[in-house]
Amino acid sequence: MLLLTLETTCDETAAAVVDEQAQVLSSVVASQDELHVRFGGVVPEIAARAHLERILPVIDEALRRANIDLTDLNAVAVATTPGLAGSLLVGLSAAKSLALALGIPLVAVDHLQAHVYACQMAAGSPVYPCVALVASGGHTSLFRCRSAIDFELLGGTIDDAAGEAFDKVAALLGLPYPGGPAIERAAQGGNPRAVRLPRSFLDEPDRLEFSFSGLKTAVRYLLYGQGKPVDQPPALSQQELADLTASFQEAVVDCLVAKAQAALRLTGLTTLCVAGGVAANARLGQRLRQAAASRHGFDLQLAPRALCTDNAAMGAVAVERLRAGLFETLELDAKPGLVRPGR
Ligand code: KG4
Ligand code: ZN
C-alpha cells in the first residue's frame, strides 16, 4: 500500500510517499525561508501563494523519487490542523483533488501528532503512551499521548512559542530568519550564565505552561533600553553576542526541560518524546539527555534533526488513522487553530 502525504501548514511545501509500515520511500521539502527572511517572520499571504506555485512540482518530485505514478497511490493524506488558514487550504485542495480524481481514500493528519510521530519513526518501536513536548515556531505544547492519534493537551505557552521567541530575538539582534539556527550558531563559545534573564513559572513546579514574551522583552530592553524604539541593532563584540545568545538559549531550554520533567512527574509516564523545529537545538538535546540520565530519569525519544522542522514524511502518522479506519469525506475542512501569523 502506498500513501502520498502532503504538508503545507506554515512555510514549507512538502510531499512524501510512505508505505503501510510507515517506511519513507521519498520525502521532498521546498522551504520558503528565502521569501520570508526580509520580513523576519512568515507572511501568511506570501506563504499561501508560494504553496500554490510549488505544491504540484513538489508532488511530482516525490512520486519521481519513489519511482511510482499517481495511479500507484492507494490513499492521500494531508495536514489539516493547526496552521495558517491560507497555507492549509492549498494542501487540502490538492489532496481532495487527488482523492476524487484517483478514487482513493482521503486521510486527515494533525500536524502536532505528525511532529511526535517523527520520534516513533526514528525509534523504530512503539513510543506511546508518552508525554510529548512539541516546540516549534507556532507551538510550545505538552501532551499526554495515549496513542499516535489520541492526544490530550496538558498545557502550552500562554503567549509566544519557543521558536517564535528565537525568531524574534534573532530579529532584535539583526540575525537572519529562521532565528533558531542563527542563535544556536551565534551562541557557540558563549557563557550561558553571562546575562541574567527571566524564566517564567519555574517557581510553580506543577504549572504546565510556558511564557516567553517576558524573556523576549528583557532582551529587547537590554539591547535598546526601556521604552525606546527598535531600530538599528546595537554593535556587539562577537563575545558579547555569544554570551547574550547563549544566555537566551539557556533560559528557553531551562523552561522546556523543567516543564517536560514536570509533565512526566504529574502523569506518571516514563517516556518523553520531543519534536518540532526547536527540538533540532543541540543545547536542548544535550540538556534533555542529561535529565534523562539523572536520578529521576526517563526514556528520551528525540526526533532526529532531519524530521524536526516541517516535512511530509512525519505525515506517515496517517497510516495509524488508516489502520483505525478513519477516512474523511470531501467535506473535510482545515482547522487553523491557535497559530498566530506574523510571528
Ligand atoms: O516545526 P517548524 O519547522 O515549523 C512550525 O511548525 O512552526 O519550526 C520552525 C521553528 C522556527 O521558529 C525556528 O527558529 C525553530 O523552529 N528552530 C530552532 C532551531 N531550528 C529551527 N530553534 C532553536 N534551535 C534550532 N536549531
Ligand atoms: Zn511544525
Side-chain angles (χ1 to χ4, degrees):
M1 197 204 64
L2 294 174
L3 181 72
L4 176 71
T5 63
L6 304 181
E7 153 64 45
T8 61
T9 59
C10 188
D11 63 339
E12 255 85 40
T13 316
V17 177
V18 303
D19 69 12
E20 71 279 3
Q21 303 297 330
Q23 295 298 316
V24 181
L25 277 71
S26 68
S27 175
V28 177
V29 181
S31 163
Q32 301 179 8
D33 286 350
E34 81 284 0
L35 298 180
H36 301 286
V37 68
R38 71 190 174 103
F39 303 103
V42 177
V43 180
E45 290 77 7
I46 293 178
R49 214 168 312 151
H51 284 309
L52 209 50
E53 284 166 6
R54 294 162 186 216
I55 187 78
L56 295 181
V58 164
I59 292 172
D60 281 345
E61 184 61 17
L63 296 173
R64 197 189 62 77
R65 289 193 201 169
N67 207 12
I68 62 164
D69 291 323
L70 271 181
T71 49
D72 295 319
L73 293 173
N74 304 100
V76 57
V78 60
T80 57
T81 188
L84 300 170
S87 293
L88 288 168
L89 284 175
V90 177
L92 181 61
S93 306
K96 283 185 183 177
S97 310
L98 287 171
L100 181 66
L102 300 169
I104 55 177
L106 176 65
V107 187
V109 166
D110 177 308
H111 179 69
L112 301 181
Q113 292 177 353
H115 267 303
V116 178
Y117 202 65
C119 299
Q120 160 127 331
M121 291 167 74
S125 55
V127 295
Y128 309 95
C130 62
V131 164
L133 168 67
V134 182
S136 70
H139 303 274
T140 306
S141 306
L142 284 160
F143 295 97
R144 179 204 296 268
C145 313
R146 295 191 177 85
S147 75
I149 54 174
D150 182 1
F151 280 28
E152 177 194 342
L153 181 67
L154 297 170
T157 180
I158 60 165
D159 42 55
D160 293 352
E164 184 180 5
F166 272 96
D167 295 337
K168 286 180 172 167
V169 166
L172 289 173
L173 287 162
L175 296 172
Y177 173 84
I183 287 189
E184 183 168 9
R185 269 192 306 275
Q188 274 164 21
N191 173 4
R193 275 175 293 279
V195 185
R196 273 183 62 142
L197 291 168
R199 286 137 167 89
S200 296
F201 311 142
L202 289 199
D203 53 346
E204 296 174 74
D206 289 354
R207 184 167 179 179
L208 297 182
E209 284 185 319
F210 305 92
S211 165
F212 296 111
S213 85
L215 172 60
K216 172 196 67 190
T217 306
V219 175
R220 180 188 157 156
Y221 287 172
L222 266 174
L223 291 170
Y224 295 89
Q226 202 161 341
K228 304 266 172 55
V230 173
D231 38 42
Q232 272 302 98
L236 299 180
S237 71
Q238 204 180 339
Q239 192 57 48
E240 285 170 333
L241 178 67
D243 286 346
L244 179 57
T245 48
S247 300
F248 163 77
Q249 178 172 263
E250 200 69 6
V252 176
V253 168
D254 276 348
C255 296
L256 296 177
V257 174
K259 295 303 175 186
Q261 284 181 297
L264 288 165
R265 176 172 50 76
L266 293 169
T267 57
L269 290 163
T270 53
T271 300
L272 175 69
C273 286
V274 183
V278 180
N281 186 276
R283 179 65 182 154
L284 175 62
Q286 191 183 28
R287 290 281 310 281
L288 285 167
R289 278 189 287 275
Q290 280 170 6
S294 73
R295 195 158 58 87
H296 301 291
F298 50 89
D299 175 22
L300 175 66
Q301 300 292 342
L302 194 57
R305 232 180 142 92
L307 290 183
C308 281
T309 48
D310 288 347
N311 64 88
M314 65 192 189
V317 70
V319 168
E320 307 283 343
R321 289 184 69 86
L322 269 172
R323 279 191 197 134
L326 297 170
F327 309 115
E328 309 298 329
T329 68
L330 294 178
E331 303 294 307
L332 179 65
D333 211 351
K335 292 189 212 73
L338 294 172
V339 169
R340 278 162 299 132
R343 304 238 172 116

